[in-house]
Amino acid sequence: MTTVRPPRAVSRKTVRLLAVAYGLTIANLYYCQPLLPEVSRSLGPHAADHVIAVGQLGYALALVLVVPLGDIVPRRPLLAVLLCSDAAALALTAAARTAGVLLAAGALIGLTAAAVVNTLVPYVAALAAPDERGRAIGTMLTGGLTGVLLSRTVAGLVSQVAGWRALFAAAAVVTLLLAVVLTRVMPPAPPDLTLPYRAQLRAALRLAGTHRLLRRRSFIGACSFAAFGVFWSTVAFRLTEPPYEYGPAQIGLLALVGAAGAVAARPLGGAADRTDPDRLTTVALAIGAASFAALWAGGHHLAWLTIGLLAMNTAVNATHLLNMTVVYGIDDARARLASVYMTGYTLGGVVGAAAGPFAYTVGGWTATCLLGAAFLTIALAPVFTRTENA
């Protein structure tokens, strides 16, 4: 028998603290992005080409097999185990001497980081009152996107001073400290559902099969994150070439613009509690598709690259926020919802991260930008299938 605990209140201070934890954890998955050329020089040509993709694959595996545990086991010990495992994977990355070890560690970082952040967000969504859910999720996602984007800046600066191995060693220490902090701050609580693990997995599959709205929002999320992956898996290579010829620190500093985009999208959390989410999603996706025109011009002009990066990150973050605000209102078993939605979202990132370097190799920066715009244009189609109650 499945039992659901009643809603509980959560303070904004607690939400902000958990948002910081979200940002610090998800940053571990993205530190490598501005360092790909440097890692390849250290371990051999093309050694780092697929680090982003395997990390996203690990992320997707966690969403299917680990995240559903968030409904049926106590969250505090679950998070402690996952954060310690994440720290171990970061330490392994710092010590890697071959491409195989690097890829294995990258997959484990993706798996553990995914499990942590996708346990935290449903937790906050479950605690928030219905009329505060959008705001709470907006705070969490702002913390997450800021962590993703600032991770590139931190990685570039630390790597410039101490090398990429020192960066991952430091991240391992920070993650262990985070495990200690969350264990002390999060109150002990029983699981939200009383259900065996296999039954929980079957319930998640049924949820995906029966809710058209969930499938539709998952597809939109997958396409938007694919566009995000296309850009971030290729921009470091473009910026090491003329006319830029940037080093890791300069590439990392560019991500500050992306962080501003994450913050700019945050007010949509409150708006999503009051306004038609389809209308807001349409606007966000249209801005995202148009941003790749500016990014294309930014291949040779920094001002256009800055404008396009700000618009693209704002659009992707806004779309994700709107999707999650809608999705977490479908059912009380929010770890299941996170498992289904975030699996689609992450697989989109895998596709984008894998397709971006291929497009860049075949057709250069023009092909890369066309591919990113295409993903966001495709995402617009389901928005017009207005079946929010399906």
Side-chain angles (χ1 to χ4, degrees):
M1 178 107 180
T2 301
T3 57
V4 181
R5 299 176 64 202
R8 296 150 288 179
V10 61
S11 69
R12 293 186 180 182
K13 181 179 179 180
T14 300
V15 172
R16 288 193 292 270
L17 175 62
L18 294 177
V20 171
Y22 185 125
L24 288 173
T25 303
I26 200 65
N28 293 335
L29 185 57
Y30 290 91
Y31 284 132
C32 64
Q33 289 191 351
L35 307 179
L36 295 178
E38 186 178 350
V39 174
S40 292
R41 284 193 294 270
S42 177
L43 298 182
H46 307 295
D49 283 3
H50 301 294
V51 170
I52 296 175
V54 298
Q56 294 295 343
L57 284 172
Y59 200 109
L61 184 63
L63 291 168
V64 175
L65 298 179
V66 183
V67 171
L69 289 170
D71 284 333
I72 62 176
V73 302
R75 290 185 178 93
R76 190 169 72 170
L78 175 63
L79 287 168
V81 170
L82 291 169
L83 285 166
C84 289
S85 300
D86 197 28
L90 289 162
L92 182 61
T93 300
R97 298 295 172 182
T98 66
V101 172
L102 183 74
L103 293 175
L108 183 57
I109 291 171
L111 187 148
T112 50
V116 170
V117 302
N118 289 290
T119 297
L120 288 173
V121 176
Y123 174 68
V124 170
L127 293 180
D131 60 351
E132 286 286 323
R133 185 173 298 135
R135 184 186 299 275
I137 293 173
T139 299
M140 291 296 291
L141 293 188
T142 297
L145 261 293
T146 302
V148 170
L149 298 165
L150 288 182
S151 66
R152 301 179 177 94
T153 303
V154 171
L157 292 173
V158 173
S159 176
Q160 190 84 8
V161 173
W164 66 270
R165 295 184 187 276
L167 179 278
F168 284 101
V173 173
V174 171
T175 302
L176 280 177
L177 292 175
L178 184 60
V180 173
V181 171
L182 286 189
T183 299
R184 293 186 175 184
V185 169
M186 291 182 69
D192 288 337
L193 303 176
T194 303
L195 201 65
Y197 177 65
R198 289 185 180 181
Q200 172 74 336
L201 294 182
R202 289 194 296 269
L205 288 174
R206 285 197 301 271
L207 195 64
T210 56
H211 281 277
R212 185 182 302 173
L213 170 59
L214 177 58
R215 295 194 303 272
R216 188 164 66 91
R217 285 285 170 174
S218 297
F219 179 79
I220 293 169
C223 290
S224 66
F225 198 43
F228 187 87
V230 165
F231 176 80
W232 285 110
S233 64
T234 56
V235 67
F237 295 104
R238 180 68 192 90
L239 292 176
T240 58
E241 299 172 351
Y244 294 107
E245 299 182 333
Y246 285 172
Q250 292 166 301
I251 295 172
L253 286 171
L254 184 65
L256 289 173
V257 178
V263 174
R266 184 177 179 274
L268 279 177
D273 293 324
R274 305 183 301 272
T275 311
D276 177 14
D278 274 343
R279 186 175 303 166
L280 294 174
T281 303
T282 300
V283 173
L285 291 172
I287 291 172
S291 72
F292 275 91
L295 291 171
W296 172 77
H300 292 86
H301 301 283
L302 182 60
W304 281 114
L305 185 67
T306 302
I307 293 169
L309 178 56
L310 178 61
M312 188 271 291
N313 276 290
T314 300
V316 170
N317 189 33
T319 300
H320 187 40
L321 190 162
L322 291 163
N323 283 341
M324 295 186 83
T325 300
V326 172
V327 164
Y328 285 140
I330 292 174
D331 192 275
D332 289 329
R334 291 182 175 88
R336 292 179 198 163
L337 293 168
S339 177
V340 175
Y341 170 73
M342 288 301 300
T343 296
Y345 185 78
T346 303
L347 288 175
V350 171
V351 171
F358 177 78
Y360 189 72
T361 299
V362 172
W365 190 241
T366 297
T368 300
C369 292
L370 286 173
L371 180 62
F375 276 124
L376 287 164
T377 302
I378 292 169
L380 278 166
V383 179
F384 300 105
T385 308
R386 297 179 61 84
T387 55
E388 291 288 21
N389 297 320

